[in-house]
């Protein structure tokens, strides 16, 4: 790995000054990362279910973490494609977690997948595949 | 159309009490809708660019508006798949707009596409295709 | 499981009379299936690499097999969405395999993911997520 | 445009020696192309409907044509992501057409969208968004 858990945690805090709104880093491995989102009022849709955009944002940042763990702290890596399938309703007011792992890390792009889990449910509530473009000049 | 501009506007305000954070309805036609997001601090990534999740949220709600304009105010319609390609960097601090149109409206699902535009740029900054699941009991 | 390996094998042979062109069933489990494609001239692009459409067709039929193993022999189940990322070049002239597993099987749709592997390579050459629409009248 | 209709037609014939199986070029413009597939037995599923893989292959090659019209005859451009939504059943035994247009052509990748039409139907039968990776050394 190119970065430690603490280095990545600090970097994400700088990049996302909105704080824990997009989730917090829980674990970091070689090509994978886990993030957790404490569901707040702003993440909900009427009826108490976690909104799609909240899950998409969590998936996006979790794969960003997994990628940076592999390539180092490249601030200009940007999402180029995101595909997400929403599978089932998360448990109301339960935290959600994203388990992100890289499928391929190349010179100009990285591709990975993310399972979104809801505490209290065994099966994933969503699944995403995401491509990040990596800038040439790093 | 099943609903008027004003009816849909009120419905979205109820469904998204966070207010203008996900954008505001600009126009509504038969199978299409346009929404606008005034970019605020919370929608930005470092460097002043609009975040991916802000664009995904806008695309999602814009197609929801286009769908509800066709099928009426069905609160339980939920996104089942979203695919988005980020094409170019939006103009910093400019409003972004989503032009959503339905490709198919069936009994149990609706599929459409969304162009995300940035005021000041001619070409789209992102393009999404989204599927909504429509509940049977409506 | 609703069907046996032999029942599904016969069903696929009827549905795809073009024979082994889309691959052959290797294994069938509860919510998953594995298929294998012996790469022939028609599956190649110049340079000897397996064509994208050959991999998409294999992924599509492999998830169809995994779904039918769960819901029974429903001939009218049709693909509604397919998303595929091509990750690396398959080994020239080596067989390719698809490992398909369901992420969700509902009443009107099933969603799953497929890893495409190339004999001789450890990492997947492609990854797909696919949604099948299941007809109401079965 | 970097290439003429005739140059691209010859190039595609070399690249796809299987001939008209993936469709034939009909029109070529600045950033767009139209291809047509005469539906044959091998493109059908039981019941006489055009198979998903036949439509995916046509979409893939049509966007390849649109891209090459823009960047010149780069044989090593390869599909990196393809997302397709199947919208409605094509007319049995009718030709299908793909209208492909580029949304973005960059140095290392090109993104576009494709509408699949079935002769005799006004609305599209499928819609795809596709990313091509463009090799650096051209």
């Amino acid at each position: 790995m190119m970065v430690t858990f603490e280095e990545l945690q600090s970097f994400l805090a700088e990049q996302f000054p909105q704080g824990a709104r997009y989730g917090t880093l829980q674990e970091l491995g070689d090509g994978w990362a886990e993030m957790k989102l404490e569901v707040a009022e702003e993440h909900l849709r009427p009826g108490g279910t976690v909104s799609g955009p909240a899950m998409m944002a969590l998936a996006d940042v979790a794969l960003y973490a997994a990628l940076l763990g592999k390539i180092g702290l490249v601030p200009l890596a940007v999402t180029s494609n995101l595909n997400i399938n929403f599978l089932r309703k998360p448990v109301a007011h339960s935290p959600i977690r994203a388990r992100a792992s890289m499928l391929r890390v190349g010179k100009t792009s990285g591709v990975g997948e993310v399972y979104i889990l809801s505490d209290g449910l065994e099966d994933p509530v969503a699944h995403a595949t995401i491509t990040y473009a990596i800038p040439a000049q790093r």
Side-chain angles (χ1 to χ4, degrees), chain A residues 12 16 22-23 33 35 52-68 77-84 97-102 110 112-116 127-133:
Chain A
L12 292 175
F16 301 101
Y22 291 119
M35 293 197 72
M55 289 189 260
M56 293 191 273
L58 182 66
D60 192 34
V61 73
L63 197 80
Y64 186 58
L67 176 68
L68 296 190
V78 290
T79 310
S80 57
N81 174 263
L82 182 146
N83 182 263
I84 188 164
R97 290 166 198 275
R99 287 187 189 149
S101 54
M102 301 308 301
E113 64 174 324
V114 186
Y115 293 87
I116 304 283
H127 178 274
T129 49
I130 304 176
T131 303
Y132 265 86

Side-chain angles (χ1 to χ4, degrees), chain A residues 32-55:
Chain A
W32 61 270
E34 186 175 319
M35 293 197 72
K36 180 185 180 179
L37 177 71
E38 296 290 351
V39 174
E41 204 51 48
E42 64 168 322
H43 304 111
L44 298 178
R45 271 184 64 158
T49 190
V50 181
S51 77
M55 289 189 260

Side-chain angles (χ1 to χ4, degrees), chain A residues 57-126:
Chain A
L58 182 66
D60 192 34
V61 73
L63 197 80
Y64 186 58
L67 176 68
L68 296 190
K70 271 305 246 197
I71 67 171
L73 302 177
V74 176
L76 296 174
V78 290
T79 310
S80 57
N81 174 263
L82 182 146
N83 182 263
I84 188 164
N85 284 289
F86 297 98
L87 303 167
R88 45 185 72 78
K89 215 176 152 168
V91 176
H93 303 288
S94 263
I96 57 170
R97 290 166 198 275
R99 287 187 189 149
S101 54
M102 301 308 301
L103 290 164
R104 175 180 178 272
V105 179
K107 261 174 267 176
T108 60
S109 69
V111 184
E113 64 174 324
V114 186
Y115 293 87
I116 304 283
L117 301 153
S118 170
D119 280 13
L121 271 185
E122 199 185 338
D123 291 320
V125 295

